[in-house]
Structures are given as structure tokens and as C-alpha cells.
Amino acid sequence: VIDLYRDPDRPDDPIAIRDQFSQLMLDSWFIAPTVMMAQAASALGVQVYQYEFQHRSSVYTDRPADTGADHGDDLFYMFGIPFLRDVTGDSWKYSFTEEERQLSLDMMAHWVNFATN
């Protein structure tokens, strides 16, 4: 398993080693337990659904360039946060793009469809 995280082109690069270790830890904290729980539930005959949100939101300008979506970023889209207006109601409260507003609409529709079927 460890070979999946090693970079043979940069075996002694401390930055590469740090990044590889970070990915290993993130996978062990988030991905592995999620997959194991889904497999256990599925083995009992429960229907299991998973998705991975990967969109890097344009409103997070303070994040490092190599950061994609963080844990929980999908909730902003799922609950329609891109559509909030400012206190005057004349403009958007947050600077999501039109494509991100469409993503929010799509996600809300998918979740409603999932919940009602």
C-alpha cells in the first residue's frame, strides 16, 4: 500500500515526502473509513451511495493553489449558499460564479431527487 503514496522520481525530496504523508493521512482519516462503512452496510443488503465533491470554489481565494475541495465544501452548494443576496437584496452576498450557481442548482436537484425516490 505504501508504494501507492511514494514518488519514485523524488524519493529524497522532503516536500514530496511531506505531501505523500499528508495524502496517506487524509486517506486513512476520510477515505478508508468511508469506504469500509459503505462496504459493511452494503454487505448487509443496505443500498449505499457515495460521491466525491472535487470542485474548487472560486470564493476561497485564500487557499493554497494546490488545494481542491475541502471536507464540507459541498454543503455550500447543496444548501444554495451561492444564491444568498446581500442585505440590500441588490447583489450576491458571495462572489460565486454563474457556473457555480448552476452547480448548486444541479446538486440541489440531485439531492431532492435522491430523497424523494
Side-chain angles (χ1 to χ4, degrees), residues 10-52:
R10 302 185 305 166
D12 298 319
D13 181 347
I15 302 301
I17 293 169
R18 179 206 59 197
D19 292 346
Q20 294 157 20
F21 179 74
S22 293
Q23 188 61 54
L24 172 69
M25 296 310 293
L26 286 171
D27 286 354
S28 69
W29 291 336
F30 291 105
I31 306 299
T34 301
V35 170
M36 288 172 33
M37 179 60 79
Q39 289 172 338
S42 181
L44 296 173
V46 176
Q47 286 186 326
V48 177
Y49 304 90
Q50 291 180 283
Y51 72 95
E52 182 178 348

Short mmCIF file of all heavy atoms in Angstrom, two decimals, residues 10-52:
data_model
loop_
_atom_site.label_atom_id
_atom_site.label_comp_id
_atom_site.label_asym_id
_atom_site.label_seq_id
_atom_site.Cartn_x
_atom_site.Cartn_y
_atom_site.Cartn_z
N ARG A 10 11.11 11.23 -6.93
CA ARG A 10 11.60 12.16 -5.90
C ARG A 10 11.66 11.46 -4.53
O ARG A 10 11.05 11.92 -3.56
CB ARG A 10 10.68 13.38 -5.82
CG ARG A 10 10.54 14.11 -7.13
CD ARG A 10 9.73 15.37 -7.04
NE ARG A 10 8.40 15.15 -6.47
CZ ARG A 10 7.62 16.11 -6.04
NH1 ARG A 10 8.00 17.37 -6.09
NH2 ARG A 10 6.43 15.86 -5.56
N PRO A 11 12.42 10.39 -4.42
CA PRO A 11 12.42 9.61 -3.18
C PRO A 11 13.01 10.34 -1.97
O PRO A 11 12.68 10.01 -0.83
CB PRO A 11 13.24 8.37 -3.52
CG PRO A 11 14.14 8.81 -4.63
CD PRO A 11 13.34 9.83 -5.41
N ASP A 12 13.86 11.32 -2.19
CA ASP A 12 14.51 12.01 -1.08
C ASP A 12 14.08 13.47 -0.94
O ASP A 12 14.64 14.20 -0.12
CB ASP A 12 16.04 11.96 -1.25
CG ASP A 12 16.53 10.52 -1.23
OD1 ASP A 12 16.03 9.73 -0.41
OD2 ASP A 12 17.41 10.21 -2.06
N ASP A 13 13.10 13.88 -1.71
CA ASP A 13 12.64 15.27 -1.68
C ASP A 13 11.74 15.46 -0.44
O ASP A 13 10.67 14.86 -0.35
CB ASP A 13 11.87 15.57 -2.95
CG ASP A 13 11.35 17.00 -3.02
OD1 ASP A 13 11.37 17.71 -2.00
OD2 ASP A 13 10.92 17.41 -4.12
N PRO A 14 12.15 16.31 0.51
CA PRO A 14 11.35 16.46 1.74
C PRO A 14 9.95 17.02 1.49
O PRO A 14 9.01 16.66 2.19
CB PRO A 14 12.18 17.41 2.60
CG PRO A 14 13.18 18.03 1.70
CD PRO A 14 13.36 17.12 0.53
N ILE A 15 9.80 17.86 0.47
CA ILE A 15 8.47 18.40 0.15
C ILE A 15 7.58 17.29 -0.41
O ILE A 15 6.41 17.17 -0.04
CB ILE A 15 8.57 19.58 -0.84
CG1 ILE A 15 9.44 20.70 -0.27
CG2 ILE A 15 7.19 20.09 -1.22
CD1 ILE A 15 8.96 21.28 1.04
N ALA A 16 8.14 16.48 -1.28
CA ALA A 16 7.38 15.36 -1.85
C ALA A 16 7.01 14.37 -0.75
O ALA A 16 5.87 13.89 -0.71
CB ALA A 16 8.19 14.67 -2.94
N ILE A 17 7.91 14.10 0.16
CA ILE A 17 7.64 13.18 1.26
C ILE A 17 6.53 13.74 2.15
O ILE A 17 5.62 13.02 2.56
CB ILE A 17 8.93 12.89 2.06
CG1 ILE A 17 9.90 12.10 1.18
CG2 ILE A 17 8.61 12.14 3.35
CD1 ILE A 17 11.30 11.99 1.76
N ARG A 18 6.60 15.04 2.43
CA ARG A 18 5.54 15.68 3.23
C ARG A 18 4.18 15.54 2.55
O ARG A 18 3.18 15.18 3.17
CB ARG A 18 5.86 17.15 3.44
CG ARG A 18 4.79 17.89 4.26
CD ARG A 18 4.72 19.35 3.97
NE ARG A 18 4.42 19.59 2.56
CZ ARG A 18 4.61 20.75 1.96
NH1 ARG A 18 5.12 21.77 2.61
NH2 ARG A 18 4.32 20.90 0.68
N ASP A 19 4.14 15.82 1.25
CA ASP A 19 2.89 15.75 0.51
C ASP A 19 2.35 14.33 0.47
O ASP A 19 1.14 14.10 0.60
CB ASP A 19 3.07 16.28 -0.91
CG ASP A 19 3.34 17.78 -0.93
OD1 ASP A 19 3.13 18.46 0.11
OD2 ASP A 19 3.77 18.28 -1.99
N GLN A 20 3.26 13.36 0.29
CA GLN A 20 2.84 11.96 0.26
C GLN A 20 2.28 11.53 1.61
O GLN A 20 1.26 10.84 1.70
CB GLN A 20 4.03 11.07 -0.13
CG GLN A 20 4.50 11.31 -1.54
CD GLN A 20 5.95 10.88 -1.75
OE1 GLN A 20 6.49 10.08 -0.99
NE2 GLN A 20 6.58 11.41 -2.78
N PHE A 21 2.93 11.95 2.68
CA PHE A 21 2.47 11.61 4.02
C PHE A 21 1.10 12.26 4.28
O PHE A 21 0.20 11.63 4.84
CB PHE A 21 3.48 12.07 5.07
CG PHE A 21 3.06 11.77 6.47
CD1 PHE A 21 3.09 10.48 6.96
CD2 PHE A 21 2.60 12.79 7.29
CE1 PHE A 21 2.68 10.19 8.25
CE2 PHE A 21 2.19 12.52 8.60
CZ PHE A 21 2.23 11.21 9.08
N SER A 22 0.94 13.50 3.86
CA SER A 22 -0.35 14.18 4.03
C SER A 22 -1.46 13.44 3.31
O SER A 22 -2.56 13.25 3.85
CB SER A 22 -0.28 15.62 3.50
OG SER A 22 0.58 16.39 4.28
N GLN A 23 -1.20 12.99 2.09
CA GLN A 23 -2.20 12.25 1.33
C GLN A 23 -2.53 10.93 2.01
O GLN A 23 -3.69 10.53 2.10
CB GLN A 23 -1.74 12.02 -0.11
CG GLN A 23 -2.82 11.43 -1.00
CD GLN A 23 -4.02 12.35 -1.11
OE1 GLN A 23 -3.89 13.51 -1.46
NE2 GLN A 23 -5.20 11.84 -0.80
N LEU A 24 -1.51 10.24 2.49
CA LEU A 24 -1.72 8.99 3.21
C LEU A 24 -2.60 9.20 4.44
O LEU A 24 -3.55 8.45 4.68
CB LEU A 24 -0.37 8.39 3.63
CG LEU A 24 -0.42 7.18 4.56
CD1 LEU A 24 -0.97 5.97 3.83
CD2 LEU A 24 0.95 6.89 5.12
N MET A 25 -2.31 10.24 5.20
CA MET A 25 -3.09 10.50 6.41
C MET A 25 -4.53 10.90 6.07
O MET A 25 -5.48 10.44 6.73
CB MET A 25 -2.42 11.58 7.26
CG MET A 25 -1.06 11.17 7.80
SD MET A 25 -1.06 9.56 8.64
CE MET A 25 -2.06 9.93 10.06
N LEU A 26 -4.71 11.74 5.07
CA LEU A 26 -6.06 12.13 4.68
C LEU A 26 -6.88 10.93 4.23
O LEU A 26 -8.05 10.78 4.59
CB LEU A 26 -6.02 13.19 3.59
CG LEU A 26 -5.60 14.58 4.04
CD1 LEU A 26 -5.36 15.49 2.85
CD2 LEU A 26 -6.62 15.18 4.98
N ASP A 27 -6.25 10.07 3.45
CA ASP A 27 -6.94 8.85 3.01
C ASP A 27 -7.30 7.97 4.19
O ASP A 27 -8.39 7.40 4.25
CB ASP A 27 -6.09 8.07 2.01
CG ASP A 27 -6.03 8.73 0.65
OD1 ASP A 27 -6.75 9.73 0.42
OD2 ASP A 27 -5.25 8.25 -0.19
N SER A 28 -6.41 7.86 5.17
CA SER A 28 -6.69 6.99 6.31
C SER A 28 -7.75 7.58 7.23
O SER A 28 -8.48 6.86 7.90
CB SER A 28 -5.40 6.69 7.09
OG SER A 28 -4.91 7.83 7.74
N TRP A 29 -7.86 8.91 7.27
CA TRP A 29 -8.86 9.55 8.13
C TRP A 29 -10.22 9.68 7.48
O TRP A 29 -11.25 9.62 8.15
CB TRP A 29 -8.40 10.94 8.54
CG TRP A 29 -7.24 10.97 9.48
CD1 TRP A 29 -6.84 10.00 10.34
CD2 TRP A 29 -6.31 12.04 9.63
NE1 TRP A 29 -5.71 10.40 11.02
CE2 TRP A 29 -5.36 11.65 10.60
CE3 TRP A 29 -6.17 13.28 9.05
CZ2 TRP A 29 -4.31 12.46 11.01
CZ3 TRP A 29 -5.13 14.09 9.45
CH2 TRP A 29 -4.22 13.67 10.42
N PHE A 30 -10.27 9.90 6.17
CA PHE A 30 -11.54 10.16 5.49
C PHE A 30 -11.96 9.06 4.53
O PHE A 30 -13.05 8.52 4.64
CB PHE A 30 -11.49 11.50 4.74
CG PHE A 30 -11.45 12.69 5.63
CD1 PHE A 30 -10.27 13.40 5.80
CD2 PHE A 30 -12.57 13.11 6.30
CE1 PHE A 30 -10.23 14.51 6.63
CE2 PHE A 30 -12.54 14.22 7.13
CZ PHE A 30 -11.36 14.91 7.30
N ILE A 31 -11.11 8.74 3.58
CA ILE A 31 -11.50 7.82 2.50
C ILE A 31 -11.69 6.39 3.01
O ILE A 31 -12.74 5.79 2.79
CB ILE A 31 -10.47 7.85 1.35
CG1 ILE A 31 -10.25 9.27 0.84
CG2 ILE A 31 -10.89 6.91 0.22
CD1 ILE A 31 -11.47 9.93 0.28
N ALA A 32 -10.69 5.86 3.67
CA ALA A 32 -10.76 4.46 4.10
C ALA A 32 -11.96 4.18 5.01
O ALA A 32 -12.71 3.22 4.77
CB ALA A 32 -9.45 4.03 4.75
N PRO A 33 -12.19 4.97 6.06
CA PRO A 33 -13.36 4.67 6.91
C PRO A 33 -14.68 4.79 6.15
O PRO A 33 -15.61 4.02 6.41
CB PRO A 33 -13.28 5.72 8.02
CG PRO A 33 -11.87 6.21 8.01
CD PRO A 33 -11.38 6.06 6.61
N THR A 34 -14.77 5.74 5.24
CA THR A 34 -16.00 5.91 4.47
C THR A 34 -16.26 4.70 3.59
O THR A 34 -17.37 4.17 3.54
CB THR A 34 -15.91 7.18 3.59
OG1 THR A 34 -15.71 8.30 4.45
CG2 THR A 34 -17.16 7.38 2.77
N VAL A 35 -15.23 4.23 2.90
CA VAL A 35 -15.37 3.07 2.03
C VAL A 35 -15.67 1.82 2.86
O VAL A 35 -16.53 1.01 2.50
CB VAL A 35 -14.10 2.88 1.17
CG1 VAL A 35 -14.13 1.55 0.44
CG2 VAL A 35 -13.96 4.03 0.18
N MET A 36 -14.99 1.67 3.98
CA MET A 36 -15.22 0.49 4.83
C MET A 36 -16.66 0.47 5.36
O MET A 36 -17.30 -0.58 5.40
CB MET A 36 -14.20 0.44 5.96
CG MET A 36 -12.82 0.07 5.46
SD MET A 36 -11.45 0.20 6.64
CE MET A 36 -12.12 -0.20 8.20
N MET A 37 -17.17 1.61 5.78
CA MET A 37 -18.55 1.67 6.28
C MET A 37 -19.53 1.36 5.16
O MET A 37 -20.51 0.64 5.37
CB MET A 37 -18.83 3.05 6.87
CG MET A 37 -20.24 3.20 7.39
SD MET A 37 -20.68 2.05 8.69
CE MET A 37 -19.89 2.83 10.06
N ALA A 38 -19.28 1.91 3.98
CA ALA A 38 -20.17 1.64 2.85
C ALA A 38 -20.15 0.16 2.49
O ALA A 38 -21.21 -0.43 2.22
CB ALA A 38 -19.74 2.49 1.65
N GLN A 39 -19.00 -0.46 2.51
CA GLN A 39 -18.90 -1.89 2.20
C GLN A 39 -19.61 -2.73 3.26
O GLN A 39 -20.30 -3.70 2.93
CB GLN A 39 -17.44 -2.31 2.09
CG GLN A 39 -16.76 -1.78 0.85
CD GLN A 39 -15.25 -2.04 0.83
OE1 GLN A 39 -14.63 -2.23 1.86
NE2 GLN A 39 -14.68 -2.01 -0.36
N ALA A 40 -19.48 -2.36 4.52
CA ALA A 40 -20.13 -3.11 5.60
C ALA A 40 -21.66 -2.99 5.48
O ALA A 40 -22.37 -3.99 5.62
CB ALA A 40 -19.66 -2.59 6.95
N ALA A 41 -22.15 -1.80 5.21
CA ALA A 41 -23.59 -1.62 5.06
C ALA A 41 -24.10 -2.36 3.83
O ALA A 41 -25.15 -3.01 3.87
CB ALA A 41 -23.93 -0.13 4.96
N SER A 42 -23.35 -2.29 2.74
CA SER A 42 -23.74 -2.97 1.52
C SER A 42 -23.79 -4.48 1.72
O SER A 42 -24.67 -5.16 1.19
CB SER A 42 -22.77 -2.61 0.39
OG SER A 42 -23.13 -3.24 -0.80
N ALA A 43 -22.86 -5.01 2.49
CA ALA A 43 -22.83 -6.45 2.76
C ALA A 43 -24.08 -6.90 3.51
O ALA A 43 -24.46 -8.07 3.45
CB ALA A 43 -21.58 -6.81 3.56
N LEU A 44 -24.73 -5.98 4.21
CA LEU A 44 -25.96 -6.28 4.94
C LEU A 44 -27.21 -6.04 4.09
O LEU A 44 -28.33 -6.13 4.58
CB LEU A 44 -26.04 -5.44 6.22
CG LEU A 44 -24.95 -5.72 7.24
CD1 LEU A 44 -25.03 -4.71 8.38
CD2 LEU A 44 -25.05 -7.15 7.76
N GLY A 45 -27.00 -5.71 2.83
CA GLY A 45 -28.11 -5.51 1.92
C GLY A 45 -28.65 -4.09 1.87
O GLY A 45 -29.67 -3.83 1.23
N VAL A 46 -27.98 -3.17 2.52
CA VAL A 46 -28.40 -1.77 2.50
C VAL A 46 -27.89 -1.12 1.22
O VAL A 46 -26.74 -1.32 0.84
CB VAL A 46 -27.83 -1.03 3.74
CG1 VAL A 46 -28.17 0.44 3.70
CG2 VAL A 46 -28.32 -1.68 5.02
N GLN A 47 -28.75 -0.33 0.58
CA GLN A 47 -28.30 0.41 -0.59
C GLN A 47 -27.41 1.56 -0.13
O GLN A 47 -27.78 2.32 0.76
CB GLN A 47 -29.47 0.96 -1.39
CG GLN A 47 -30.20 -0.10 -2.16
CD GLN A 47 -31.26 0.52 -3.06
OE1 GLN A 47 -31.86 1.53 -2.74
NE2 GLN A 47 -31.47 -0.12 -4.20
N VAL A 48 -26.24 1.66 -0.73
CA VAL A 48 -25.25 2.65 -0.33
C VAL A 48 -24.92 3.52 -1.53
O VAL A 48 -24.73 3.02 -2.64
CB VAL A 48 -23.97 1.97 0.20
CG1 VAL A 48 -22.92 3.00 0.55
CG2 VAL A 48 -24.29 1.09 1.40
N TYR A 49 -24.83 4.83 -1.29
CA TYR A 49 -24.48 5.78 -2.33
C TYR A 49 -23.35 6.66 -1.81
O TYR A 49 -23.36 7.08 -0.66
CB TYR A 49 -25.68 6.65 -2.71
CG TYR A 49 -26.88 5.84 -3.13
CD1 TYR A 49 -27.83 5.43 -2.19
CD2 TYR A 49 -27.04 5.47 -4.45
CE1 TYR A 49 -28.92 4.67 -2.58
CE2 TYR A 49 -28.13 4.71 -4.85
CZ TYR A 49 -29.06 4.31 -3.90
OH TYR A 49 -30.14 3.57 -4.29
N GLN A 50 -22.41 6.95 -2.68
CA GLN A 50 -21.30 7.83 -2.32
C GLN A 50 -21.03 8.79 -3.48
O GLN A 50 -21.32 8.48 -4.63
CB GLN A 50 -20.02 7.03 -2.07
CG GLN A 50 -20.05 6.16 -0.84
CD GLN A 50 -18.75 5.41 -0.68
OE1 GLN A 50 -18.52 4.43 -1.37
NE2 GLN A 50 -17.90 5.90 0.20
N TYR A 51 -20.49 9.94 -3.14
CA TYR A 51 -20.00 10.84 -4.17
C TYR A 51 -18.79 11.56 -3.62
O TYR A 51 -18.58 11.62 -2.41
CB TYR A 51 -21.08 11.83 -4.65
CG TYR A 51 -21.42 12.91 -3.66
CD1 TYR A 51 -20.81 14.16 -3.72
CD2 TYR A 51 -22.38 12.70 -2.67
CE1 TYR A 51 -21.14 15.16 -2.81
CE2 TYR A 51 -22.71 13.69 -1.77
CZ TYR A 51 -22.09 14.92 -1.84
OH TYR A 51 -22.40 15.91 -0.95
N GLU A 52 -17.99 12.07 -4.51
CA GLU A 52 -16.80 12.83 -4.13
C GLU A 52 -16.89 14.21 -4.79
O GLU A 52 -16.90 14.31 -6.01
CB GLU A 52 -15.54 12.10 -4.59
CG GLU A 52 -14.27 12.81 -4.19
CD GLU A 52 -13.02 12.06 -4.60
OE1 GLU A 52 -13.12 10.88 -5.00
OE2 GLU A 52 -11.95 12.67 -4.53
#
